[in-house]
Amino acid sequence: MKYETVIGLEVHVELATDSKIFCSCSAHSYGAEPNTHVCPACCGMPGMLPVMNKRVVELAVTAGLMLNCNINKYTTFDKKNYYYPDLPCAYQITQLNHPICTDGCVTVKTSGGVRDIRIKQIHMEEDAGKLVHGGKYSYVDFNRTSVPLIEIVTQPDFRSAEEVVTYLNKLKSMFRSGGISECEEGAMRCDVNISVRPEGSEEFGVRTEIKNMSSFEAIERAIRYESQRHIDALEYGTEELVQETRRFDDVSGKTSAMR
Ligand code: ADP
Ligand code: ZN
Ligand code: MG
């Protein structure tokens, strides 16, 4: 049987602001001593009060306009709870119910033709800290905590790795020219949601989410590997597909279950 690959993306972009999203600490700490760009607010001390960085809203709106989104006049933040040492508050401030931008569209042109990719939403959120593992101990660096991000979520409209990479390159060049982000290494991170279905079918298949790709090339390889894994499972019964998050290994070129 012939199969079609279906992909939706969640892209995180670090915004080019001077300061963090809810405090006045510098957002640029690349190469700095650990925990030197921190304050009670971004370290989640008791009684801290987040104050919105206006520039973050301006850049998120600009990105939304570039991606032909509706800009919502009513927008709210939510707390997403998770307990992990890289998150001092044990919650991340993000936008779940009323994101700033919704219902956009980007055109992607590849050897397969032209396709409209629908943007589901763009929301603002804060980054987490960094864990550094060394020998017997793990260390935490809060310099990156509360660095502003936007997350751009598409509908499951991609049908090939080529479309995905074309889209990512388009975002990158738009965001650079618009001053949204320099999109340098590590400042643009992409989670790939992927499923396959028999060609002609309207129904979506079971999807997996792939994280941990360090380059566009790795994203392309991960998509090819994962879609073949799905096809083998359906066609030859090699395994049972379950909805899960998987990590991509650059060396083996394979994905494996993460949690
Ligand atoms: P959740 O709320 O579980 O995170 P979303 O509806 O927000 O799910 O979708 C997350 C991402 O997964 C979106 O980019 C969406 O396009 C994509 N997606 C959803 N269903 C599928 C599917 N069957 N195949 C591929 N991608 C999918
Ligand atoms: Zn701070
Ligand atoms: Mg989601």
Side-chain angles (χ1 to χ4, degrees), residues 157-176:
D157 288 346
F158 299 94
R159 297 292 176 267
S160 69
E162 191 192 355
E163 286 176 3
V164 167
V165 172
T166 307
Y167 166 82
L168 291 173
N169 277 313
K170 189 164 180 176
L171 282 195
K172 195 169 164 176
S173 78
M174 281 198 287
F175 288 170
R176 277 186 174 163

Side-chain angles (χ1 to χ4, degrees), residues 10 80 96 120-121 123 151 153 193 207 209:
E10 294 163 290
K80 183 172 170 178
L96 177 67
K120 184 177 171 190
Q121 66 180 64
H123 57 265
E151 177 174 343
V153 185
N193 297 272
R207 78 163 135 124
E209 180 174 359

Side-chain angles (χ1 to χ4, degrees), residues 80-92:
K80 183 172 170 178
N81 291 286
Y82 77 88
Y83 182 78
Y84 204 61
D86 65 0
L87 199 67
C89 293
Y91 58 78
Q92 177 198 33

Side-chain angles (χ1 to χ4, degrees), residues 11-250:
V11 177
H12 292 88
V13 175
E14 245 175 50
L15 297 177
T17 57
D18 292 335
S19 53
K20 293 187 177 182
I21 185 168
F22 299 121
C23 63
S24 55
C25 290
S26 164
H28 305 280
S29 55
Y30 189 78
E33 280 284 296
N35 299 307
T36 51
H37 295 265
V38 293
C39 73
C42 57
C43 282
M45 292 293 129
M48 69 85 168
L49 186 66
V51 177
M52 186 74 217
N53 179 344
K54 185 177 164 193
R55 190 71 188 136
V56 172
V57 182
E58 288 169 358
L59 293 181
V61 167
T62 309
L65 292 173
M66 289 178 136
L67 303 184
N68 306 299
C69 291
N70 294 326
I71 310 301
N72 299 313
K73 296 215 171 103
Y74 180 79
T75 185
T76 58
F77 282 96
D78 301 274
K79 291 175 176 177
K80 183 172 170 178
N81 291 286
Y82 77 88
Y83 182 78
Y84 204 61
D86 65 0
L87 199 67
C89 293
Y91 58 78
Q92 177 198 33
I93 303 182
T94 178
Q95 299 197 281
L96 177 67
N97 296 314
H98 300 283
I100 184 141
C101 310
T102 44
D103 299 323
C105 185
V106 188
T107 301
V108 170
K109 206 166 149 189
T110 63
S111 60
V114 176
R115 187 186 298 283
D116 287 334
I117 305 299
R118 290 168 299 155
I119 305 293
K120 184 177 171 190
Q121 66 180 64
I122 302 177
H123 57 265
M124 302 174 281
E125 62 184 27
E126 56 180 343
D127 210 342
K130 227 178 224 169
L131 289 181
V132 184
H133 306 285
K136 250 170 91 179
Y137 300 99
S138 288
Y139 303 87
V140 64
D141 178 3
F142 290 132
N143 280 349
R144 201 180 65 188
T145 309
S146 282
V147 164
L149 304 175
I150 50 172
E151 177 174 343
I152 303 123
V153 185
T154 75
Q155 297 290 354
D157 288 346
F158 299 94
R159 297 292 176 267
S160 69
E162 191 192 355
E163 286 176 3
V164 167
V165 172
T166 307
Y167 166 82
L168 291 173
N169 277 313
K170 189 164 180 176
L171 282 195
K172 195 169 164 176
S173 78
M174 281 198 287
F175 288 170
R176 277 186 174 163
S177 66
I180 311 286
S181 173
E182 276 311 308
C183 296
E184 64 278 86
E185 208 175 313
M188 194 175 179
R189 307 191 286 270
C190 178
D191 299 339
V192 173
N193 297 272
I194 182 166
S195 62
V196 303
R197 61 181 175 189
E199 229 170 65
S201 162
E202 294 284 311
E203 244 169 86
F204 288 132
V206 172
R207 78 163 135 124
T208 53
E209 180 174 359
I210 325 171
K211 290 180 184 287
N212 260 45
M213 284 86 56
S214 56
S215 64
F216 290 180
E217 193 223 332
I219 290 169
E220 213 170 328
R221 289 167 64 216
I223 290 172
R224 291 192 207 287
Y225 173 84
E226 187 68 3
S227 70
Q228 194 57 51
R229 192 181 71 85
H230 284 226
I231 292 169
D232 290 345
L234 299 181
E235 190 72 18
Y236 309 112
T238 47
E239 59 188 305
E240 195 182 334
L241 290 178
V242 288
Q243 186 174 333
E244 64 185 358
T245 303
R246 298 176 69 86
R247 91 160 50 80
F248 178 67
D249 181 73
D250 227 4

